[in-house]
């Protein structure tokens, strides 16, 4: 099936960037923006995503729908799209790109296929793809090869297997390391600040753990405006690990850290308005002071 028109659910920070790349490479992207926020509409307009109004119209016009949402919204969005597929009678390809547990992805796949749609499991690793070669989209499922077309349209799409759940399992494992480490680093730096030992600790980390110092300096400033999304992602990782017979408590703790951050002034900034040049020590001071009041 040639892919010409791609529906984006939803044109947030990641979805908008994906759509911008596809548009630049000659594809048409659309979104259902009825009842969406002004920020979402602005992001869509900036990426040249066309508004078709309703999900029903999105299904009618799309060859493929990419679901790029916060984890908590993934299942409900799939139910709404499944209803639209059933009503329209169009067997579109639905690609779940959300950071959710493999079992949840499998359930969503069954839902989409039960109404005649086709389904691909996908996971996005890396930042929004505004810079080439920094973002990978891993896919799995029997229809995953269909998305290989997008490799010629600016996206690094990689098929890793024919089973639904493989791509999401990879995302859960990888994010457990990267975002789990960021959560631990954030909490320990706040603790050191409250102990009056932040300078001493950072001097030691910079001396004996130079790579870790570099990672934290890079990851924490970009994390704060996205902390609200990472709460759900850590909870999905926790459920994944629990299903595998491993402890889930580490990642529920990480979710608590991000829940703390999202209630601060830094956590309430949007990614496009966040000051990414704000020094790490200033960030930790703000988080430490404001977290005391939440």
């Amino acid at each position: 099936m040639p892919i010409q028109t791609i529906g984006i659910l939803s044109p947030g920070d990641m979805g908008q960037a994906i759509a911008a790349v596809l548009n630049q490479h000659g594809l048409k992207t659309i979104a259902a923006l009825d009842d969406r926020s002004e920020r979402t509409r602005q992001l869509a307009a900036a990426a040249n995503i066309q508004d078709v109004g309703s999900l029903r119209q999105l299904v009618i016009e799309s060859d493929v729908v990419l679901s790029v949402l916060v984890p908590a919204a993934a299942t409900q969005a799939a139910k709404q799209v499944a209803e639209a597929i059933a009503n329209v009678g169009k067997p579109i390809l639905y690609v779940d790109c959300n950071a959710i547990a493999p079992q949840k992805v499998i359930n969503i796949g069954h839902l989409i296929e039960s109404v005649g749609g086709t389904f691909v499991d996908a996971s996005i690793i890396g930042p929004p793809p505004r810079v080439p070669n920094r973002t990978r989209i891993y896919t799995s499922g029997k229809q995953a090869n269909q998305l290989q077309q997008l490799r010629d349209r600016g996206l690094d799409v990689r098929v890793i297997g024919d089973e639904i759940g493989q791509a999401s399992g990879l995302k859960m494992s990888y994010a457990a390391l990267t975002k789990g480490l960021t959560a631990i680093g954030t909490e320990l730096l706040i603790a050191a600040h409250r102990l009056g030992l932040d300078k001493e600790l950072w001097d030691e980390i910079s001396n004996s753990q130079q790579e870790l110092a570099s990672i934290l300096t890079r990851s924490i400033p970009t994390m704060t405006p996205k902390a609200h999304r990472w709460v759900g992602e850590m909870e999905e990782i926790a459920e994944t690990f629990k299903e595998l017979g491993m402890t889930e408590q580490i990642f529920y703790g990480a979710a608590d850290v991000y829940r703390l951050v999202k209630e601060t002034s830094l956590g309430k900034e949007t990614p496009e308005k966040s000051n990414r040049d704000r020094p790490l020590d200033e960030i930790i001071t703000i988080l430490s002071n404001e977290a005391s009041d939440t």
Side-chain angles (χ1 to χ4, degrees), residues 40-285:
T40 299
R41 291 178 175 276
Q42 290 174 354
L43 288 171
N48 197 31
I49 301 170
Q50 298 181 32
D51 177 18
V52 297
S54 67
L55 274 177
R56 185 178 189 277
Q57 193 61 33
L58 184 84
V59 169
I60 290 172
E61 296 191 25
S62 296
D63 301 312
V64 176
V65 171
L66 301 181
S67 177
V68 190
L69 301 162
V70 296
T75 298
Q76 182 59 29
K79 288 179 179 178
Q80 292 172 341
V81 171
E83 182 178 351
I85 292 173
N87 289 337
V88 172
K90 183 181 178 183
I92 64 169
L93 175 61
Y94 187 88
V95 184
D96 192 295
C97 305
N98 302 302
I100 56 178
Q103 187 56 51
K104 184 175 288 186
V105 175
I106 291 169
N107 292 338
I108 289 175
H110 289 159
L111 173 65
I112 296 296
E113 291 172 348
S114 72
V115 293
T118 54
F119 184 80
V120 169
D121 176 19
S123 65
I124 303 169
I125 292 183
R130 298 185 179 94
V131 178
N133 303 317
R134 290 180 59 193
T135 308
R136 280 81 54 209
I137 301 178
Y138 292 95
T139 63
S140 66
K142 290 182 171 58
Q143 304 297 327
N145 283 329
Q146 292 192 45
L147 286 188
Q148 290 288 75
Q149 297 177 54
L150 302 185
R151 290 185 63 85
D152 298 325
R153 305 290 187 160
L155 296 180
D156 185 356
V157 178
R158 307 183 184 188
V159 177
I160 61 171
D162 61 3
E163 294 182 15
I164 301 302
Q166 288 176 300
S168 292
L170 178 62
K171 173 68 172 182
M172 294 291 94
S173 302
Y174 183 83
L177 172 64
T178 56
K179 294 171 184 175
L181 179 60
T182 299
I184 292 171
T186 300
E187 185 169 41
L188 70 87
L189 290 176
I190 291 173
H193 179 82
R194 291 181 177 179
L195 288 168
L197 296 170
D198 38 2
K199 182 182 183 303
E200 290 78 6
L201 176 63
W202 190 252
D203 286 347
E204 177 57 37
I205 292 174
S206 299
N207 179 60
S208 62
Q209 303 287 338
Q210 293 180 10
E211 291 186 4
L212 177 59
S214 177
I215 290 170
L216 295 178
T217 300
R218 186 172 63 250
S219 66
I220 293 177
T222 59
M223 169 274 293
T224 55
K226 297 180 283 190
H228 68 285
R229 290 194 284 115
W230 291 8
V231 172
E233 191 165 333
M234 292 299 103
E235 292 172 341
E236 293 292 331
I237 293 170
E239 289 303 304
T240 301
F241 278 53
K242 182 179 180 180
E243 185 73 18
L244 296 171
M246 303 172 69
T247 181
E248 71 276 20
Q249 297 304 321
I250 298 170
F251 300 102
Y252 281 132
D256 285 341
V257 173
Y258 291 132
R259 194 173 286 110
L260 175 152
V261 172
K262 82 180 182 71
E263 296 300 331
T264 67
S265 60
L266 299 182
K268 293 176 181 177
E269 294 177 340
T270 60
E272 57 268 22
K273 293 184 178 180
S274 177
N275 178 10
R276 299 190 180 188
D277 295 323
R278 188 181 284 117
L280 180 59
D281 59 347
E282 180 182 336
I283 292 172
I284 295 303
T285 298

